Amino acid sequence: MEINGQNAAETGRYDEMGLSPALMRAIEQKGYVQATPVQVGAIPCFMEWKDVIAKAPTGTGKTFAFGIPMVEHIEPDSGEVQALVLAPTRELAIQIRDELRDLCAFREGVRVVCLYGGQPIHTQINQLKKHPQIVVATPGRLMDHMKRHTVQLDRVQTVVLDEADRMLDMGFVRDVTHILDKMPKRRNLGMFSATISREVLDISWVYQREPVEITVRADEDNRPDIAQYRLDVERNEKADTMARLLHMGGYERVIAFCNTKNMTDRLVGLLEMRGVSCEAIHGDITQVFRERTLQKFREGKIRVLAATDVAARGLDIDDVDAVFNYDIPDENEYYIHRIGRTGRARRHGVAFSLVASIAEGLRLDEIVRITGSQVRHVHFNENGDLVAAVEKTQ
């Protein structure tokens, strides 16, 4: 890990950070002892109200890195909104809210509310009337509440942009800057991201003051343990191949990524025909059903979650056994974020990419070249075993 360009210690324990008994009790209830590198770097900075810009791989504990000091700073006796977290998607916003509520378990009087599109706004207005101190929101829905004057941000002290590159990439730059301009008492701003884009740096230059720059590289200690495989198949054999691999590997919790909403719906039908329980989440499915599907998946009631890239970032599901690229992603970084759904929390993960055309093969070759991913080319031998494919020579 680097802090402001200098190598820094990556190891630390929560009980060495001077946290309150209430926070320690919440952390211990989660079963955590050792802090991750991004937490070791960010928590002390946030406790001192410093601005932070942190780059760390997916699944390295960024929510606790800002959530622990955020909850520590809250004054329970005040009914003002004191902290704001902005997230690019409703799924990520809900996940952050749940983790923050876990941290607040023993801080009586600290309330967290989540504001996002797809849920009736009047339900959220009623929640805001209970005077939460922490608001987690997507930019668009927060702007709706600001226009209605149902949320007041003039007392906010801590602001965090989570998955900042993704949020600004999705066209929220104007909303984010408008929101930041409405918080005159802000004491610190944290930006957390897997990559640092030009837009992230622009926001930092305007709104942060001498930020502490934390970089956690994907080295052997924090790189997810993910075995990556490529199988060349006929297009009409993809579903059969996937069902076969599920049976061979005994995978019980799997995410299959498709490039289109229509393909996720088709995959659900194809797998159900083969006796594999599967449901889809994508942008055309209502928020209520998406949340219900995700909960069933977490509880093990669904074996396969068929998803578009809306689910590739921000889902906090630690025990995904395998990821399938049913379609090869259109963007290089989507591949990294997709396979990053497995191999989390230091577990072993597996990622399969099903290639059914020359175009898909060239696309995957480019992803391997650009991202430096280690993808093994495999196939089924005459005995039905999965073995390494013979590389073609020029």
Side-chain angles (χ1 to χ4, degrees), residues 60 153 203 298 351 362:
T60 51
L153 303 177
I203 293 289
R298 289 190 178 97
L362 292 173

Side-chain angles (χ1 to χ4, degrees), residues 89 102 120 130 138 175 205 210 281 296 358 393:
T89 66
D102 287 345
K130 297 177 182 178
T138 54
D175 286 353
W205 187 78
E210 299 181 358
I281 60 167
K296 287 164 66 177
I358 293 174
T393 56

Side-chain angles (χ1 to χ4, degrees), residues 1-4 8 17 37-54 65-66 69-70 73 158 187-190 192 210-214:
M1 177 174 65
E2 294 180 1
I3 297 180
N4 291 336
M17 294 183 174
V38 70
Q39 294 165 3
V40 171
I43 289 173
C45 298
F46 265 92
M47 291 298 289
E48 296 175 5
W49 298 101
K50 293 179 180 178
D51 287 344
V52 171
I53 181 167
F66 63 77
M70 178 179 286
H73 282 152
T158 296
R187 293 181 64 179
N188 65 333
L189 169 63
F192 288 76
E210 299 181 358
V212 177
E213 298 181 22
I214 299 169

